[in-house]
Amino acid sequence: MRTAPSIRAVVSDADGPVGRYDRDDRGGHRYADLFDREPGVSAERAAQALLAQLRGWRIAADEELGRALVAGGGRLLRHAHLMSHDLAVRPAWSHPPGHRLTDVDRPATDLVDAYIAAFPPGHVDHRDEPRDSALATLERHLSGAEFGPPLRGSGLAVAEDGTVACAILLGTLPGRPPLNGPWLIEVFRHPEHRGVGRALCERALALADVDVLGLMVTEGNPARALYEDLGFRLVRSALVVQV
């Protein structure tokens, strides 16, 4: 995901253009996002050019090219699916038993426990980061520093004891849908509170004042089935490879 306006760049070899990508710098890494091969360019040819010219970068490529990059010595970081919802039909929503759904009216310190617990070791989206790093990530999200001000539909599921059980944060990726635009930046649920994730997603889709909403879900994350059931459609799949 991009956090600032990106630069569309071209990779070429001796035979001409190989592909185009959005250049991004974030978290101390250079990214070639949304890499699209030129018509007729094989995955093997594109991989050779990328391995020669973008060594040290992280490449978000189609699955065939991603596999070619891994075969050439790259390290797979993520297999993910970009999905989009046109919001033509808005679901009904209600408060799940034992919880109330609210706007995001709590500080990051109240969200961080659910954020960490949602992705334990062994989960495909496990974040191996200390608590202060996770807290800083949430603070950036809530402040709008990375994805602009949280959009309407962002919300929390709060348990009867006042703890945050689940959160959904909507923001904006620079660019046009469905590859960018309004975005489901984060959704995380404490595993002790089952059922609230769907309710919070339904609230977000009902209240969001945008016409389309995108997200990325990692291969193997069971949440993908929920997103499909809610009406999100697959746009493209990609492998993110460190070369």
Side-chain angles (χ1 to χ4, degrees), residues 183-198:
W183 208 260
L184 195 164
I185 302 298
E186 291 280 3
V187 57
F188 51 91
R189 175 186 60 82
H190 195 291
E192 294 180 358
H193 299 266
R194 298 182 62 84
V196 296
R198 183 185 186 95

Side-chain angles (χ1 to χ4, degrees):
M1 297 179 183
R2 284 175 288 291
T3 59
S6 52
I7 300 171
R8 197 68 174 166
V10 178
V11 172
S12 299
D13 61 13
D15 295 320
V18 169
R20 302 169 188 272
Y21 65 91
D22 286 354
R23 175 174 174 166
D24 231 348
D25 295 277
R26 61 184 185 273
H29 301 283
R30 288 184 175 179
Y31 282 80
D33 271 328
L34 301 176
F35 188 91
D36 290 317
R37 287 182 274 157
E38 295 292 331
V41 172
S42 70
E44 290 71 22
R45 176 184 164 191
Q48 289 178 1
L50 290 169
L51 289 166
Q53 299 178 41
L54 299 185
R55 183 66 67 176
W57 288 49
R58 295 183 171 187
I59 314 294
D62 64 82
E63 292 180 271
E64 185 181 7
L65 174 53
R67 288 191 291 270
L69 289 169
V70 171
R75 179 168 59 93
L76 178 63
L77 299 178
R78 188 184 189 194
H79 181 189
H81 308 284
L82 190 158
M83 307 181 77
S84 182
H85 197 308
D86 64 11
L87 297 179
V89 177
R90 306 285 180 137
W93 67 276
S94 61
H95 299 277
H99 299 78
R100 58 186 175 87
L101 306 186
T102 73
D103 291 338
V104 182
D105 56 1
R106 306 276 286 272
T109 50
D110 289 356
L111 279 61
V112 70
D113 286 342
Y115 180 78
I116 294 172
F119 308 106
H123 192 284
V124 293
D125 287 320
H126 173 61
R127 301 174 172 99
D128 187 15
E129 59 180 341
R131 183 184 178 87
D132 57 351
S133 176
L135 183 60
T137 297
L138 288 173
E139 288 174 339
R140 290 195 302 271
H141 291 346
L142 296 182
S143 70
E146 286 187 310
F147 305 105
L151 300 179
R152 187 168 187 263
S154 299
L156 306 175
V158 181
E160 291 177 335
D161 63 1
T163 60
V164 173
C166 184
I168 185 168
L169 305 177
L170 309 182
T172 305
L173 297 183
R176 298 173 60 84
L179 302 182
N180 296 288
W183 208 260
L184 195 164
I185 302 298
E186 291 280 3
V187 57
F188 51 91
R189 175 186 60 82
H190 195 291
E192 294 180 358
H193 299 266
R194 298 182 62 84
V196 296
R198 183 185 186 95
L200 202 56
C201 285
E202 289 172 340
R203 178 184 183 274
L205 295 175
L207 299 182
D209 53 2
V210 296
D211 296 327
V212 66
L213 187 65
L215 63 81
M216 288 286 283
V217 59
T218 303
E219 172 69 18
N221 188 334
R224 180 179 178 182
L226 169 61
Y227 299 143
E228 291 173 341
D229 194 49
L230 290 171
F232 283 88
R233 62 178 178 85
L234 178 66
V235 175
R236 66 189 293 173
S237 298
L239 300 185
V240 180
V241 181
Q242 175 80 54
V243 300

